[in-house]
Amino acid sequence: QVQPVESGGGSVQAGGSLRLSCPISGFTGSDDCMGWIRQAPGKGREGVASIDRNSKTDYGYFVRGRFIISRDNNKNTLYLQMDSLKPEDSAMYYCATTAGTFGCSSGRLGIYGRTWGQGTQITVSS
């Protein structure tokens, strides 16, 4: 069963960088879409980035060019490299998975993604 636990969050100044990690012990047969979602206080969930079994990636428009999602299959770990952080990136970030039957995208992950861990807080100060 997939049980990711997020780590790597923290507080940084605008323009700084952080790298999130999420160990994945293994996918279920249907959860072949994974990635990161975030939720800020008083706001809905946002799909940040996704990666499918073929390592095809997708990003929310608000992080394109700044964030990079990757996966180390040997370590069974998902990463999110976040550069040029902005105050509006402040949120709780969660590792999420969903079935990729109808495609894998950051948008679908934001809507249908299942979160398993407690999340990791990102706070970006101006």
Side-chain angles (χ1 to χ4, degrees):
Q1 187 172 355
V2 179
Q3 294 184 336
V5 178
E6 305 89 350
S7 65
S11 298
V12 296
Q13 291 189 328
S17 298
L18 287 171
R19 188 193 194 203
L20 306 184
S21 299
C22 177
I24 302 290
S25 60
F27 281 115
T28 66
S30 59
D31 278 359
D32 53 358
C33 177
M34 62 189 296
W36 298 90
I37 66 172
R38 71 186 187 186
Q39 186 164 20
K43 296 186 178 180
R45 294 183 0 164
E46 290 183 312
V48 176
S50 66
I51 186 167
D52 68 9
R53 284 188 181 279
N54 298 314
S55 297
K56 180 181 178 182
T57 60
D58 182 67
Y59 298 90
Y61 70 92
F62 41 87
V63 301
R64 282 174 191 159
R66 300 187 297 122
F67 291 10
I68 297 175
I69 187 172
S70 62
R71 180 180 59 218
D72 186 327
N73 292 325
N74 292 327
K75 296 181 179 179
N76 285 321
T77 301
L78 181 70
Y79 300 101
L80 184 69
Q81 178 65 42
M82 304 185 295
D83 297 324
S84 301
L85 283 161
K86 303 176 180 180
E88 51 263 44
D89 293 320
S90 297
M92 189 71 79
Y93 284 70
Y94 300 88
C95 189
T97 66
T98 190
T101 308
F102 300 104
C104 182
S105 69
S106 57
R108 286 190 60 82
L109 203 63
I111 296 170
Y112 303 110
R114 285 174 281 190
T115 61
W116 304 83
Q118 298 297 313
T120 186
Q121 178 69 41
I122 305 295
T123 303
V124 185
S125 58
S126 58

